[in-house]
Every structure is written in structure tokens, then in C-alpha cells.
């Protein structure tokens, strides 16, 4: 794996998908990206089944006739930088209601990628802009009590991350059929199996209002369906029932509402009935690597 040897020459692009309903927040995010120190970060905005709001000049844009979901929209954004993002060296994925409060985030990312040629993905710390609190679910590791501690991890946060474009070339892009939920872990596992590392960086911060994942109408269905797809696509056959059995027990232990549980069961069944895409089980060496990092792929 080779790449630029200096941070100054490392090219960054940013992909933002929008439904067109947060124009003020979107433009504020763009301004925070343009305020970054060092070489300019190229910008691409994907209107996911909605008209584009007015945007500053110099932003690459596309209006999709239908909503392709979060991973599908981000894949379109990657291609706005050429095949697998070849016009840049790494792509940032940013939620359109997020904001980069610091001006050194791009510099820190360039330095991190340039210093470690095996680093494929960086996950940012998400913090509420008013309280500064980072939700536990936004720390991509099991030991999540200290969000200010950076570490090597096994997955990443989709709307607050940076991915080296060689990862797309070697491991593929995000699984568009997932639409929403677990698409990051699918890419993370494939990247790990291709030899790439993933870091959680507490010093690279994205401000984002505190939200509940259940705000999405299809959340419980997609979480269950995509969890099955994730296992069917990526895990050795021996681990598939262990992984899904663990998550079944965890879901029941959380005592979801009857409506949520009904949607979850519907998604779980759909995950087995519907095609999940190509199956490429990870090597046992990758299983061991994920285990050593504190998250064996059975949880």
C-alpha cells in the first residue's frame, strides 16, 4: 500500500448528502470545511432525491431523481471525484447538519494518513454543539466510557469520517442496498480484511445535535435486516449463527416496544429471504485481528 509521503500533498475531498431540508445548516457546514487550514478541501454535495438548495460556487453537485439511501448517496458522491474518488487521496463523509468547530481537522487528517500508509479509515468524535457531550453509541468500540481517548477500532461513524480512496479501490464502496444502518461496518470489515487499519480520533471533532437513531421510520427493520446481511456477506459460516444469536439476545434484553419488536422481526426475516449481495467471508486472520482490537465479530 503506497500513497503520498507528505501531509501537504495529501488531497482531501468531502462528500455531503442532503435531502434539501436543511439549507442553512448545509451552508454552515460548507463554510466550516472551507475554513480548514492548509490546502483547500474539495467539496461534493449529493441531493438525494431532492432539489439542491443554493450553494456557494466551486462545489461539485448532483441531483438524484430518487433517494438512494445513505450509502447509495455517498457512493455517488465518491464518484464525483472520479472513479473510486481518484481525484483525491481521501474522502470525508459529513452529515449535512454537522459542523467542523476546529480549523485544524483537515490538517490532522492529512498528517495521520501521511504518517501511516496502512491507515485506511478515520472516525471522528461527534459532540453535541451545546453540551459538548459525545453519545456512547458514537464511540465505535465496546469500551466507550471515555470518548476523549483515541484508539484503533473495528468500525467507524458514517457521517463523521474520512476514508482513503485506495480502500474503495481494494475493498469496494459502501453497500448501497443497505439504504441505512450497518453500511459502515460492512465496509470496515472488508477494509480490515484487505489489510487496512481504522482509527478513532477524539481530536477530530464534528459538532452534531444529539439525536436518537430511532428517528428514522425504517430504523428497526433496517437494523435487523442489515445485521443479517452483514453476517451473511462477511462472516465465516461458523460465526454467522453466533453473531446473529448474540444480537437477538441483546435486542430482547433491551425490551423494545411491541411495535419496534414487530418491525425488528420483520427485518430479521427479510435479511434471510432477500439477497444480500456477494458473499466474501473474511479470513480467520481478520477475525483474530478484530478480536485483538476488543471487538470479536460475534458482537
Amino acid at each position: 500500500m503506497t500513497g503520498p509521503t507528505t501531509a501537504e500533498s495529501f488531497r482531501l475531498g468531502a462528500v455531503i448528502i442532503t435531502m434539501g431540508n436543511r439549507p442553512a445548516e448545509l451552508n454552515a457546514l460548507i463554510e466550516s470545511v472551507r475554513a480548514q487550514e492548509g490546502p483547500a478541501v474539495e467539496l461534493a454535495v449529493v441531493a438525494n432525491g431532492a432539489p439542491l438548495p443554493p450553494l456557494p460556487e466551486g462545489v461539485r453537485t448532483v441531483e438524484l431523481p430518487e433517494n438512494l439511501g445513505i450509502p447509495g448517496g455517498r457512493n455517488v458522491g465518491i464518484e464525483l471525484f472520479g472513479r473510486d474518488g481518484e481525484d483525491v487521496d481521501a474522502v470525508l463523509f459529513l452529515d449535512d447538519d454537522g459542523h467542523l468547530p476546529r480549523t485544524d481537522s483537515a490538517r490532522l487528517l492529512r498528517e495521520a494518513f501521511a504518517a501511516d500508509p496502512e491507515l485506511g479509515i478515520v472516525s471522528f468524535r461527534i459532540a453535541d454543539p451545546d453540551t459538548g457531550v459525545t453519545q456512547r453509541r458514537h464511540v465505535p468500540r465496546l469500551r466507550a466510557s471515555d470518548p476523549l481517548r483515541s484508539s484503533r477500532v473495528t468500525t467507524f461513524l458514517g457521517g463523521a469520517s474520512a476514508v482513503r480512496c485506495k480502500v474503495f479501490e481494494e475493498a469496494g464502496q459502501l453497500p448501497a442496498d443497505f439504504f441505512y444502518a450497518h453500511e459502515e461496518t460492512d465496509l470496515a470489515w472488508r477494509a480490515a480484511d484487505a489489510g487496512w487499519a481504522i482509527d478513532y480520533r477524539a481530536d477530530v471533532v464534528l459538532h452534531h445535535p444529539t439525536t436518537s437513531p430511532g428517528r428514522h421510520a425504517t430504523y428497526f427493520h433496517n437494523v435487523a435486516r442489515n445485521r443479517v446481511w452483514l453476517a451473511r456477506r462477511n462472516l465465516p459460516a461458523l460465526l454467522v449463527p453466533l453473531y446473529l444469536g448474540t444480537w437477538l439476545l441483546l435486542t430482547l434484553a433491551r425490551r423494545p416496544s411491541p411495535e419496534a419488536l414487530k418491525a425488528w422481526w420483520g427485518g430479521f426475516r427479510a435479511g434471510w429471504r432477500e439477497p444480500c449481495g456477494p458473499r466474501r467471508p473474511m479470513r480467520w486472520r481478520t477475525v483474530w485481528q478484530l478480536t485483538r482490537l476488543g471487538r470479536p465479530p460475534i458482537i
Side-chain angles (χ1 to χ4, degrees):
M1 300 172 190
T2 60
T5 57
T6 65
E8 293 76 14
S9 65
F10 198 92
R11 303 162 299 169
L12 294 177
V15 170
I16 307 166
I17 57 173
T18 184
M19 298 295 292
N21 56 348
R22 293 190 281 240
E25 292 90 337
L26 173 59
N27 277 277
L29 171 61
I30 289 172
E31 289 309 309
S32 74
V33 174
R34 287 188 160 178
Q36 294 298 302
E37 302 166 7
V41 179
E42 297 291 327
L43 280 152
V45 174
V46 178
N48 214 353
L52 275 167
L55 296 173
E57 292 185 4
V59 178
R60 308 183 193 201
T61 62
V62 63
E63 285 187 0
L64 300 178
E66 62 179 312
N67 183 357
L68 298 183
I70 294 173
R74 287 182 177 145
N75 287 345
V76 170
I78 294 168
E79 294 297 306
L80 288 177
F81 294 113
R83 184 180 178 86
D84 287 328
E86 64 186 359
D87 294 350
V88 293
D89 297 304
V91 169
L92 284 67
F93 295 128
L94 302 171
D95 280 348
D96 69 345
D97 55 346
H99 183 270
L100 295 173
R102 296 170 48 161
T103 60
D104 63 349
S105 296
R107 175 176 60 80
L108 292 172
L109 291 170
R110 289 189 181 97
E111 290 173 353
F113 282 120
D116 184 356
E118 294 187 353
L119 178 62
I121 304 173
V122 177
S123 190
F124 310 165
R125 179 166 64 90
I126 296 178
D128 184 272
D130 297 321
T131 66
V133 170
T134 297
Q135 293 179 272
R136 186 179 183 89
R137 69 185 181 90
H138 284 154
V139 183
R141 58 177 179 244
L142 292 180
R143 296 182 179 90
S145 59
D146 183 8
L148 299 182
R149 178 174 67 86
S150 300
S151 69
R152 193 136 284 185
V153 292
T154 63
T155 188
F156 65 102
L157 306 171
S161 60
V163 181
R164 193 189 293 263
C165 293
K166 283 191 174 293
V167 172
F168 305 131
E169 180 183 332
E170 296 183 9
Q173 298 182 6
L174 294 156
D177 288 344
F178 280 40
F179 199 83
Y180 165 78
H182 303 320
E183 68 271 8
E184 303 95 343
T185 300
D186 187 87
L187 176 56
W189 283 359
R190 285 184 281 118
D193 202 48
W196 296 101
I198 307 169
D199 279 353
Y200 168 70
R201 288 287 298 258
D203 55 344
V204 181
V205 182
L206 181 82
H207 275 175
H208 189 282
T210 298
T211 57
S212 166
R215 70 192 186 278
H216 297 283
T218 59
Y219 171 76
F220 293 102
H221 177 278
N222 282 21
V223 160
R225 182 198 64 186
N226 294 0
R227 185 81 70 183
V228 177
W229 282 357
L230 181 67
R232 289 176 59 197
R233 286 163 57 92
N234 296 288
L235 291 182
L238 181 65
L239 296 186
V240 172
L242 293 174
Y243 178 79
L244 296 176
T246 297
W247 281 103
L248 172 60
L249 294 175
L250 285 171
T251 299
L252 295 176
R254 291 167 178 167
R255 304 182 66 162
S257 69
E259 295 79 9
L261 188 58
K262 180 180 179 181
W264 193 94
W265 276 116
F268 191 81
R269 290 192 297 269
W272 290 107
R273 291 195 312 264
E274 299 173 6
C276 65
R279 173 167 165 76
R280 298 188 181 96
M282 67 177 66
R283 295 168 294 175
W284 284 103
R285 184 174 70 181
T286 305
V287 172
W288 174 237
Q289 175 191 342
L290 299 177
T291 302
R292 287 177 54 224
L293 290 171
R295 189 147 199 169
I298 59 170
I299 189 169

